[in-house]
Amino acid sequence: MSAWKRSLTMQLGALFAAIAVVVFAAVGIYLYQALARQLQERDDADLIDRISLIRHLLDETATVTDVSKHPHQFLDAVDIHGGYLLAIETTDGRPLLRNVGRRNFTIPANAVATARAPAANDVIGENEVGGGGLRILAALGEAADGSVVRIVLARTPYDRSALLAAYRLKVMAAAIGGAILTALMGFLLVKRGLRQVRQLADQARKVTAHNLAVRLDAATAPNELLVLADAFNAVLDRLQKSFEHLSQFSADLAHDMRTPLNNLMVQTQVALSQPRTNEEYQNLLSSNHEEFERLARMVESMLFLARADHEEILLSTEQLDANKALEQIAEYFEAPAAEAGIGIKVRASGTVLADLHLLRRAVNNLVANAVRYTPNGGTIWLEASAADGGMRITVINPGVGISAADLPRLFDRFYRADRSRSSAARSAGLGLAIVRSIMTLHRGRVRASSELGSTRFELFFPDRRTDT
């Protein structure tokens, strides 16, 4: 790519030059045409004045034959050096006076009558043989004896053409000079104006992976660059947030995977330190299997979240009977709930537009948490009811509740509201993050609220999918 194509300053300078050429040329053409019209009008007015003078001289001439005898007074009135051509002839075409030489031009058939003064519209244009446009006026004149002659006066265009040619050269020179001057000034002004762009670029170069807190100074940016600066800062905000989230995610992932891996290594090392019985090896394998299952669940959950983040999961949405879907979930948790001494009740009606598998997974995660934290003798409620624009599914359980400080981060990955009560072997802190991802895939939302003695999770499924 050439330097010209890469340089916005040079492109704008060239654009200013092109605009200057067009503007100067347009103005020059307009002024040239205006001057040409003015010169023509001046020549036509001069023709009328000189025809009137020749008529006056004829009035003082005794007979038409005197025109031939004394031509100088008529020629002097015409002023040969001014580029005028004069022909006087009788009405039957006999020439009395001619100074046209070898020049040929058409003598108008119609001439202004003696009783009328010539006007501008009586002047006609004629292309002289050999060049230039003549302006011709024909009028009838009357001698003192009453004889009538035809007077034809033509104005040659040479002096007018020379003046216009000189003016045309000046217009062209002005257009070229103005274009060059405009291009240079435009180049300098654009270069100065783009200095703020270079300042923003210098600020952007300071942004690194270790310095994501730097922002462009949008307050000093011109209005045309304000949108760009704000958009870039918004990108940096999202990038910094994602980077921090990824760093936290990596740290949490390493922490959560380190525990089962350490357990596997320690238990295996202890078992290998001395000979063991078959029963001891079987117990070791059983313990290792639990750790492997935990790691497998963690990896499967992380893969699901990664696919959900990139919307690689295809939904198979259908209208589901809300009561039937929740009854099946309650039945699935009937045994662990009974073992914990708690009950599960369903209160639902209507239909919900959702993917059955993902709906069950989201509600299962919520119910699993509810079973874990509901005290003995408590009851978990699974409710579904129509809401504005969709269906709301709610999981309510009694208990100590969740603190207000934990609610905003409740759906973050690897976050546990109560680490002292949360068994690391049973929970990786990804269940609620999966719930939020499932609701995002459905273009819905999830909300948690808690107060002393009760915790409530609400899932909202819109009645139709709308891309956002």
Side-chain angles (χ1 to χ4, degrees):
M1 184 180 292
S2 65
W4 186 86
K5 290 184 178 180
R6 291 197 303 266
S7 174
L8 180 62
T9 303
M10 295 181 66
Q11 292 183 36
L12 290 177
L15 180 61
F16 287 152
I19 293 174
V21 169
V22 172
V23 172
F24 276 107
V27 173
I29 292 172
Y30 171 78
L31 294 177
Y32 178 85
Q33 296 294 336
L35 178 61
R37 285 194 299 270
Q38 289 179 353
L39 292 176
Q40 180 178 300
E41 292 172 358
R42 184 201 66 179
D43 289 350
D44 291 350
D46 203 18
L47 282 174
I48 294 171
D49 291 341
R50 293 176 187 273
I51 284 285
S52 300
L53 178 59
I54 293 173
R55 275 182 167 183
H56 178 70
L57 293 175
L58 282 172
D59 289 340
E60 298 176 351
T61 302
T63 63
V64 294
T65 56
D66 291 339
V67 175
S68 300
K69 295 177 181 179
H70 306 287
H72 296 292
Q73 62 177 340
F74 295 97
L75 294 177
D76 291 343
V78 171
D79 184 14
I80 297 175
H81 300 292
Y84 288 90
L85 306 177
L86 176 62
I88 301 177
E89 60 185 21
T90 62
T91 55
D92 59 2
R94 180 170 58 87
L96 298 174
L97 184 154
R98 292 177 67 89
N99 76 331
V100 298
R102 295 183 179 180
R103 294 186 179 94
N104 260 336
F105 62 90
T106 302
I107 296 178
N110 298 324
V112 179
T114 56
R116 183 171 68 84
N121 57 0
D122 294 320
V123 181
I124 64 172
E126 173 74 13
N127 286 329
E128 181 187 14
V129 176
L134 295 173
R135 301 295 295 173
I136 306 171
L137 177 60
L140 298 177
E142 187 175 353
D145 63 355
S147 301
V148 177
V149 297
R150 179 183 289 108
I151 308 165
V152 180
L153 185 62
R155 180 74 161 86
T156 60
Y158 303 130
D159 59 339
R160 184 172 72 247
S161 298
L163 179 62
L164 290 175
Y167 184 77
R168 186 166 55 247
L169 289 176
K170 292 179 180 179
V171 169
M172 293 175 61
I176 296 174
I180 295 174
L181 182 61
T182 304
L184 292 176
M185 294 182 63
F187 181 85
L188 294 176
L189 291 175
V190 171
K191 187 174 182 180
R192 179 181 178 85
L194 293 179
R195 182 170 56 187
Q196 292 175 309
V197 176
R198 291 190 292 272
Q199 292 174 352
L200 291 178
D202 292 338
Q203 296 175 15
R205 291 190 187 97
K206 298 178 182 178
V207 179
T208 64
H210 304 288
N211 193 19
L212 289 175
V214 174
R215 295 293 180 270
L216 300 186
D217 188 6
T220 59
N223 293 335
E224 292 78 7
L225 298 178
L226 184 59
V227 176
L228 178 62
D230 288 340
F232 189 80
N233 286 337
V235 171
L236 289 178
D237 289 338
R238 294 192 296 271
L239 183 62
Q240 182 179 16
K241 183 177 180 181
S242 299
F243 192 82
E244 292 174 352
H245 179 75
L246 181 61
S247 299
Q248 185 62 40
F249 177 79
S250 301
D252 291 339
L253 176 63
H255 175 76
D256 281 73
M257 294 191 70
R258 182 176 57 187
T259 301
L261 290 174
N262 284 340
N263 291 341
L264 288 170
M265 288 188 297
V266 170
Q267 291 175 5
T268 303
Q269 289 173 354
V270 170
L272 295 176
S273 62
Q274 60 183 7
R276 305 288 179 180
T277 64
N278 288 339
E279 183 180 359
E280 289 176 328
Y281 282 125
Q282 288 178 352
N283 291 335
L284 173 64
L285 292 176
S286 177
S287 176
N288 287 352
H289 183 264
E290 291 181 0
E291 298 295 342
F292 284 131
E293 283 186 336
R294 181 185 171 194
L295 287 171
R297 287 195 303 269
M298 187 181 301
V299 171
E300 192 274 335
S301 296
M302 288 186 297
L303 288 175
F304 177 87
L305 290 172
R307 293 173 59 198
D309 287 343
H310 293 86
E311 296 190 353
E312 296 178 358
I313 299 176
L314 298 179
L315 296 183
S316 179
T317 56
E318 57 182 317
Q319 291 291 347
L320 304 172
D321 185 295
N323 184 73
K324 181 179 179 181
L326 295 184
E327 286 286 358
Q328 291 174 344
I329 294 173
E331 182 178 351
Y332 176 79
F333 281 94
E334 183 176 355
E339 183 180 349
I342 58 178
I344 300 179
K345 294 185 178 181
V346 176
R347 185 165 52 199
S349 62
T351 60
V352 56
L353 179 64
D355 182 295
L356 177 59
H357 172 70
L358 295 182
L359 170 67
R360 287 176 175 173
R361 185 166 188 175
V363 179
N364 281 348
N365 287 351
L366 297 180
V367 175
N369 280 343
V371 170
R372 187 176 304 137
Y373 294 112
T374 299
N376 187 281
T379 300
I380 300 173
W381 283 94
L382 306 183
E383 299 179 351
S385 60
D388 186 20
M391 176 67 69
R392 181 187 296 111
I393 294 178
T394 309
V395 177
I396 307 171
N397 70 281
V400 295
I402 303 172
S403 68
D406 289 323
L407 284 175
R409 296 194 57 194
L410 204 57
F411 296 95
D412 291 349
R413 299 172 186 181
F414 295 108
Y415 184 78
R416 299 184 183 90
D418 188 355
R419 293 183 177 269
S420 63
R421 296 179 57 195
S422 182
S423 172
R426 298 166 59 190
S427 172
L430 295 174
L432 294 181
I434 291 175
V435 173
R436 182 173 61 180
S437 295
I438 290 174
M439 298 312 299
T440 301
L441 289 172
H442 283 83
R443 302 297 188 263
R445 59 181 181 271
V446 57
R447 187 178 66 176
S449 60
S450 183
E451 57 186 16
L452 186 61
S454 178
T455 300
R456 181 187 188 95
F457 287 88
E458 293 182 0
L459 306 179
F460 175 77
F461 292 86
D463 54 12
R464 59 175 181 171
R465 290 203 63 193
T466 55
D467 293 333
T468 56

